[in-house]
Amino acid sequence: MPNEPETAPWTGAWVRDRLDLALRTSAAPLGVQLDELVGLAVRRNPRRAHLLVSLVLGKHVPTDPDLVHGTGLLLGRLAAARLAAPAGAPHPEDLLGGELLRQALHGVRGSAARLVEHARTPPVAVPDGVVVLGYAETATALGHAVADALDVPYLHSTRRAVPGMRELGSFQEEHSHATSHLLLPEHPAAFARPGPLVLVDDELSTGSTALNTIRALHRATPRSHYVIAALVDLRSGADRERMARVAGELGTRIELVALAAGAVDAPSDVLGRGAALVHETESGPSAAPAVDAQRPRGQITRVDLAWPSGLREGGRHGFTRADRVRFAAALPVLAETLADAVGPGAGRVHVLGFEELMQAPFRLAGELGAVLAARSGVGEVTVTCSSTTRSPVLPVPEAGYAIRSALRFPAHDDPSDGPGPRFAYNLTSAAGESRFETVVLVVDDAGDTDELWSAAGLVSRLAEVAPRVLVVTVPAHRPRALPEPLPEPLRGPRFGSYRPDDVAWLLTDLSHVDLEAPTEEREEAIQSGGAHYAESLPVEFQPDAAYQALFTATLASSATRLARAVGLVTEQVLALRGPEAVLVSLARAGTPVGVLMRRWAQQVHGLELPHYAVSIVRGKGIDEVALAYLAAHHDPATVMFVDGWTGKGAITRELAASVQAANAALGADFAADLAVLADTGRCVEVFGTREDYLIPSACLNSTVSGLVSRTVLNDALIGPGDFHGAKFYADLASSDVSAAFVETVAAEFASVRDEVLASLPAHLASDRTATWSGWAAVEAVSREYGIGDANLVKPGVGETTRVLLRRVPWKVLVRADAADELGHIRLLADQRGVEVVEVPDLPYSAIGLIHPRFTRGATGTDGTAATAGVGA
């Protein structure tokens, strides 16, 4: 619904004239004056006589949802410019955005939608590590919009406590009617990062709340830059000096952006005059009219939107980029369902949010307006939004006053600070008549209580003033309880032979348990379905002198090529995740690569990237307890999974499926991106090479992987709150070449650094789409050799080596022109009596075929047993 026409009196005039207030604009970076953004009302509050009533916030005044969202995005554009500017730079401006905002405020058709499009993308790149914090209850949706513009994680404070949940912090809002704020992120590490912090509020009167917040958070996580983003800035000169003084005391930079700045000039006795004005108005002819008891009550209907499972309704416990994408994708479907409930001939529709719950109702209102307009024709339907509030404001049914009517009702969500009255403003006209044909009330399930539906409750009060009331209940996101306490990582030298800073193993130490079994026994149990391969371990391969010499020679000849691939894949990870990237290797083949990537970031960029090793088991998935640990200590959005190479892509698929399941269980947003040294299967987009050459770490087992076994998932040993397990083979220390492998490759970093950095732009611009050609090749080989089970075909030099070291090999297929890469494979095959078959045009340098004799009912492509002609 458009705001007042230009000829209507300013909605602050009534208060201005009676309290001798003057609203003065001192800075207008958008070309918009303060009195275009706010009206005035009188508070029932002994601390303040007046209330600035925003005309763009959608809290107290029913407002076009596009105007609300577009204004928040516009504020985000200003914040982005401030974040990217050097200290002391002029206040950013956006005159085009200001003109669109002015047009929307005066009801120019389509201007609010154009404002959203204009403000959707910030004009400059946002620094890494930015997070946004919004204030409850007024600025929760505003903060969402700022975070939307910056495309960064978002959290808003709350006054709804969660028993047993750890607080990131709490602080006081000194002037408010409800002073206590809690910060309750589900994943605290995502919001305790040292990057810039943007604090969002609707109004900055003195700056005390923002400074209280900064002090509280700075004690735990010092930051070099804070930006306060507010719709209006009313600080005095003394307030500005105090903010600068606090910044100096903390050794940080505190800056501010606002749509307009200025002051409310008031007489010294304004508090007394305000109290007297409240008393006089409530008992005089200007009192708001009571609701007509004879008016027919409106029809009340519940509406089920089929809210998607796991979709967050707002940022009370955090809202990430992944949440933002999913929310935007769900909105059109939810709005279509709501439009069906509203029905044809909707006329004037108002969507009413519930205190802190503003994001979901307001965005639904915007999408609902688009759907209804498309169905009914432009101009035939109007959708506005506002929210209930705790703020006690005097209603006055005058054109020059911002709050003309009020509905009072009891709190209905069992708030932690106790019960009390709540209010919904401006839902009726100055004469007490209904302004809307339909009111859609959106509450979360925590607020859908008996009090909501009581005779004096909000639903009943709405039915007194609207012909139709639709009640939509959305599920409030409830943080998942993680295992308490979470286990701690293992580090060398107590576990593993890597340096303590090289890797933290998110594993359970099973070194004391006898888990090894002969290879043939394991193969029979695995292929018969009697056991999973991860329930036991193969006997560790011990290389003889000839094989050890082959490893040493191969390492020496390939170190430069490996260093180049390590550099290229690490630079891609830094480009995708930024300098706060967290490397999470898939133990065990990924661990040496993760160590090398960490060393590259350290040597080339001076970065100390965290590096963990976690277990993933084919058919069982990734270790969810390990992911819970990572979510508790890091922002999941910074995590990059790392492996040595891809074969046909089985682990890549396992990672994608299991991370998706873990995200749903944990409420996290880990991306299942996988960075590998060699993408021979062409199934990832982040890689150092796609050539199928020998990576020396594939030649050996634990002795090149920190003396750690492959991982174990055995229900008899691993409980529901434990990391997956592994063994530390300390007795093999005399054969350990883990450090030698890392040091040899890292020694080449300096020589390839310039080449890697020069080639990076072209690599990033190239077509790196995953084609999964390796999977197709494996299926073709499986058919050609009558195996009938693609899991028994292991493509690539690394996987072929594993077949020869850990499984019962049948044949090894090699490409003739790759002979120089395959000396260790021919040596192993000769030692185990395995036939090596040269195959022209093989898509890999080598493919290992596991002996199919032990498969349960294995048959070839012709339906006969696949054991015919199989060698011993």
Side-chain angles (χ1 to χ4, degrees), residues 282-353:
E282 289 184 327
S283 58
S286 294
V291 173
D292 183 359
Q294 303 302 314
R295 177 187 298 157
R297 290 177 57 84
Q299 178 186 9
I300 300 170
T301 307
R302 277 190 178 274
V303 178
D304 181 5
L305 295 187
W307 191 267
S309 175
L311 181 66
R312 296 197 183 206
E313 81 288 4
R316 180 180 284 114
H317 302 298
F319 204 84
T320 66
R321 288 186 176 100
D323 293 319
R324 183 172 297 117
V325 170
R326 192 174 182 209
F327 187 83
L331 270 177
V333 178
L334 295 170
E336 290 282 355
T337 303
L338 184 55
D340 291 342
V342 171
R348 297 168 300 171
V349 179
H350 184 69
V351 179
L352 183 66

Side-chain angles (χ1 to χ4, degrees), residues 316-589:
R316 180 180 284 114
H317 302 298
F319 204 84
T320 66
R321 288 186 176 100
D323 293 319
R324 183 172 297 117
V325 170
R326 192 174 182 209
F327 187 83
L331 270 177
V333 178
L334 295 170
E336 290 282 355
T337 303
L338 184 55
D340 291 342
V342 171
R348 297 168 300 171
V349 179
H350 184 69
V351 179
L352 183 66
F354 156 51
E355 296 191 42
E356 296 172 15
L357 182 66
M358 298 169 69
Q359 162 76 352
F362 287 13
R363 295 297 302 278
L364 267 174
E367 200 71 33
L368 176 66
V371 173
L372 292 177
R375 293 183 180 184
S376 305
V378 176
E380 297 182 19
V381 63
T382 300
V383 178
T384 54
C385 63
S386 68
S387 170
T388 66
T389 177
R390 297 171 171 226
S391 180
V393 185
L394 175 70
V396 178
E398 298 284 348
Y401 189 81
I403 303 296
R404 303 184 193 176
S405 66
L407 292 183
R408 180 185 173 114
F409 55 93
H412 53 89
D413 63 333
D414 190 24
S416 60
D417 55 352
R422 302 292 187 263
F423 307 91
Y425 293 118
N426 287 344
L427 298 185
T428 61
S429 68
E433 298 171 348
S434 176
R435 297 180 61 190
F436 308 103
E437 278 76 35
T438 301
V439 172
V440 180
L441 172 64
V442 182
V443 297
D444 60 24
D445 53 10
D448 191 350
T449 60
D450 291 344
E451 288 81 2
L452 177 69
W453 297 87
S454 68
L458 176 57
V459 173
S460 180
R461 296 306 315 276
L462 291 174
E464 293 173 1
V465 300
R468 295 178 68 209
V469 178
L470 305 182
V471 181
V472 174
T473 302
V474 302
H477 176 73
R478 289 169 172 79
R480 181 180 184 272
L482 300 178
E484 289 289 349
L486 286 165
E488 289 297 317
L490 302 171
R491 295 183 184 271
R494 187 171 72 86
F495 186 89
S497 62
Y498 289 118
R499 295 182 337 205
D501 61 320
D502 272 337
V503 62
W505 304 89
L506 300 184
L507 296 171
T508 299
D509 188 356
L510 300 179
S511 302
H512 60 288
V513 183
D514 185 9
L515 289 165
E516 290 76 13
T519 300
E520 288 75 11
E521 290 182 15
R522 292 184 76 248
E523 194 68 49
E524 183 175 13
I526 293 167
Q527 294 193 27
S528 69
H532 191 278
Y533 77 89
E535 294 180 3
S536 62
L537 291 171
V539 177
E540 278 290 302
F541 167 70
Q542 295 300 299
D544 58 20
Y547 192 88
Q548 192 72 37
L550 182 62
F551 167 82
T552 303
T554 302
L555 176 59
S557 64
S558 63
T560 301
R561 181 164 58 174
L562 287 170
R564 191 178 299 116
V566 168
L568 192 57
V569 71
T570 308
E571 291 299 330
Q572 291 170 76
V573 171
L574 294 175
L576 289 168
R577 296 293 192 267
E580 296 178 340
V582 178
L583 305 177
V584 179
S585 295
L586 305 183
R588 127 182 105 174

Side-chain angles (χ1 to χ4, degrees), residues 830-866:
D830 183 64
Q831 290 174 350
R832 299 200 63 179
V834 177
E835 179 184 6
V836 177
V837 181
E838 290 192 359
V839 179
D841 301 322
L842 196 68
Y844 292 87
S845 295
I847 295 179
L849 307 182
I850 294 174
H851 203 312
R853 172 177 294 167
F854 302 104
T855 56
R856 184 169 46 187
T859 59
T861 55
D862 60 356
T864 60

Side-chain angles (χ1 to χ4, degrees), residues 74-429:
L74 192 60
L75 185 60
R77 281 175 61 91
L78 298 181
R82 175 59 74 199
L83 286 165
H91 195 295
E93 296 182 348
D94 188 344
L95 296 181
L96 174 58
E99 180 56 31
L100 291 171
L101 174 59
R102 180 181 286 107
Q103 291 177 14
L105 282 165
H106 294 299
V108 176
R109 188 175 302 282
S111 56
R114 291 195 298 273
L115 175 63
V116 170
E117 287 304 312
H118 166 75
R120 193 185 301 277
T121 305
V124 293
V126 177
D128 292 319
V130 174
V131 294
V132 173
L133 171 64
Y135 287 101
E137 61 181 54
T138 307
T140 57
L142 180 64
H144 264 289
V146 171
D148 287 351
L150 302 178
D151 193 24
V152 298
Y154 175 63
L155 174 73
H156 70 69
S157 64
T158 181
R159 296 189 176 103
R160 184 185 291 176
V162 178
M165 191 172 184
R166 185 176 59 182
E167 296 178 14
L168 180 65
S170 61
F171 50 90
Q172 298 296 310
E173 186 175 2
E174 295 168 359
H175 65 271
S176 175
H177 50 276
T179 61
S180 179
H181 288 255
L182 303 173
L183 296 178
L184 301 175
E186 183 167 19
H187 303 293
F191 299 95
R193 296 154 55 180
L197 177 65
V198 179
L199 299 99
V200 181
D201 209 350
D202 61 316
E203 169 196 335
L204 205 69
S205 52
T206 65
S208 294
T209 301
L211 292 181
N212 289 343
T213 309
I214 290 171
R215 286 191 179 101
L217 296 180
H218 200 80
R219 283 193 293 268
T221 306
R223 292 174 169 87
S224 61
H225 195 188
Y226 296 88
V227 171
I228 303 167
L231 294 176
V232 295
D233 174 15
L234 302 177
R235 291 173 301 156
S236 67
D239 294 329
R240 295 168 189 269
E241 291 175 3
R242 178 165 58 108
M243 187 167 287
R245 187 168 60 252
V246 170
E249 292 169 357
L250 298 179
T252 190
R253 177 179 162 196
I254 303 175
E255 298 180 297
L256 186 133
V257 293
L259 304 186
V264 179
D265 296 327
S268 58
D269 62 346
V270 68
L271 290 178
R273 294 173 66 171
L277 182 59
V278 169
H279 176 74
E280 173 189 333
T281 303
E282 289 184 327
S283 58
S286 294
V291 173
D292 183 359
Q294 303 302 314
R295 177 187 298 157
R297 290 177 57 84
Q299 178 186 9
I300 300 170
T301 307
R302 277 190 178 274
V303 178
D304 181 5
L305 295 187
W307 191 267
S309 175
L311 181 66
R312 296 197 183 206
E313 81 288 4
R316 180 180 284 114
H317 302 298
F319 204 84
T320 66
R321 288 186 176 100
D323 293 319
R324 183 172 297 117
V325 170
R326 192 174 182 209
F327 187 83
L331 270 177
V333 178
L334 295 170
E336 290 282 355
T337 303
L338 184 55
D340 291 342
V342 171
R348 297 168 300 171
V349 179
H350 184 69
V351 179
L352 183 66
F354 156 51
E355 296 191 42
E356 296 172 15
L357 182 66
M358 298 169 69
Q359 162 76 352
F362 287 13
R363 295 297 302 278
L364 267 174
E367 200 71 33
L368 176 66
V371 173
L372 292 177
R375 293 183 180 184
S376 305
V378 176
E380 297 182 19
V381 63
T382 300
V383 178
T384 54
C385 63
S386 68
S387 170
T388 66
T389 177
R390 297 171 171 226
S391 180
V393 185
L394 175 70
V396 178
E398 298 284 348
Y401 189 81
I403 303 296
R404 303 184 193 176
S405 66
L407 292 183
R408 180 185 173 114
F409 55 93
H412 53 89
D413 63 333
D414 190 24
S416 60
D417 55 352
R422 302 292 187 263
F423 307 91
Y425 293 118
N426 287 344
L427 298 185
T428 61
S429 68

Side-chain angles (χ1 to χ4, degrees), residues 422-800:
R422 302 292 187 263
F423 307 91
Y425 293 118
N426 287 344
L427 298 185
T428 61
S429 68
E433 298 171 348
S434 176
R435 297 180 61 190
F436 308 103
E437 278 76 35
T438 301
V439 172
V440 180
L441 172 64
V442 182
V443 297
D444 60 24
D445 53 10
D448 191 350
T449 60
D450 291 344
E451 288 81 2
L452 177 69
W453 297 87
S454 68
L458 176 57
V459 173
S460 180
R461 296 306 315 276
L462 291 174
E464 293 173 1
V465 300
R468 295 178 68 209
V469 178
L470 305 182
V471 181
V472 174
T473 302
V474 302
H477 176 73
R478 289 169 172 79
R480 181 180 184 272
L482 300 178
E484 289 289 349
L486 286 165
E488 289 297 317
L490 302 171
R491 295 183 184 271
R494 187 171 72 86
F495 186 89
S497 62
Y498 289 118
R499 295 182 337 205
D501 61 320
D502 272 337
V503 62
W505 304 89
L506 300 184
L507 296 171
T508 299
D509 188 356
L510 300 179
S511 302
H512 60 288
V513 183
D514 185 9
L515 289 165
E516 290 76 13
T519 300
E520 288 75 11
E521 290 182 15
R522 292 184 76 248
E523 194 68 49
E524 183 175 13
I526 293 167
Q527 294 193 27
S528 69
H532 191 278
Y533 77 89
E535 294 180 3
S536 62
L537 291 171
V539 177
E540 278 290 302
F541 167 70
Q542 295 300 299
D544 58 20
Y547 192 88
Q548 192 72 37
L550 182 62
F551 167 82
T552 303
T554 302
L555 176 59
S557 64
S558 63
T560 301
R561 181 164 58 174
L562 287 170
R564 191 178 299 116
V566 168
L568 192 57
V569 71
T570 308
E571 291 299 330
Q572 291 170 76
V573 171
L574 294 175
L576 289 168
R577 296 293 192 267
E580 296 178 340
V582 178
L583 305 177
V584 179
S585 295
L586 305 183
R588 127 182 105 174
T591 310
V593 177
V595 171
L596 282 168
M597 292 172 66
R598 186 182 186 280
R599 294 281 186 96
W600 175 277
Q602 185 182 54
Q603 292 182 31
V604 175
H605 299 287
L607 298 173
E608 298 289 342
L609 301 186
H611 176 216
Y612 299 89
V614 303
S615 169
I616 186 169
V617 176
R618 184 167 53 83
K620 302 288 186 179
I622 198 163
D623 184 346
E624 192 172 302
V625 178
L627 291 188
Y629 178 91
L630 292 169
H633 292 81
H634 301 280
D635 178 0
T638 64
V639 165
M640 176 65 79
F641 295 102
V642 174
D643 208 355
W645 55 85
T646 60
K648 58 181 174 287
I651 287 298
T652 309
R653 293 187 175 188
E654 187 76 51
L655 179 69
S658 60
V659 165
Q660 181 180 15
N663 280 341
L666 295 171
D669 67 328
F670 291 100
D673 300 345
L674 182 63
V676 300
L677 202 59
D679 180 29
T680 56
R682 284 173 162 72
C683 46
V684 300
E685 297 183 359
V686 183
F687 55 84
T689 182
R690 277 179 166 164
E691 296 179 60
D692 184 18
Y693 62 76
L694 173 61
I695 299 173
S697 60
C699 292
L700 300 169
N701 285 333
S702 67
T703 52
V704 77
S705 303
L707 297 180
V708 174
S709 74
R710 67 173 304 147
T711 59
V712 175
L713 183 55
N714 186 318
D715 290 344
L717 302 169
I718 305 299
D722 296 330
F723 297 138
H724 293 187
K727 295 183 72 168
F728 171 33
Y729 292 118
D731 57 308
L732 301 181
S734 61
S735 303
D736 187 24
V737 293
S738 303
F741 173 70
V742 170
E743 299 297 342
T744 300
V745 177
E748 301 298 316
F749 288 167
S751 66
V752 302
R753 175 186 181 278
D754 292 344
E755 177 189 352
V756 168
L757 296 179
S759 66
L760 180 65
H763 182 81
L764 292 174
S766 66
D767 183 3
R768 293 171 288 125
T769 305
T771 64
W772 296 88
S773 58
W775 195 280
V778 164
E779 291 180 327
V781 168
S782 178
R783 290 192 299 269
E784 181 178 351
Y785 284 83
I787 293 175
D789 184 354
N791 287 325
L792 301 183
V793 180
K794 302 296 184 181
V797 176
E799 291 301 303
T800 301

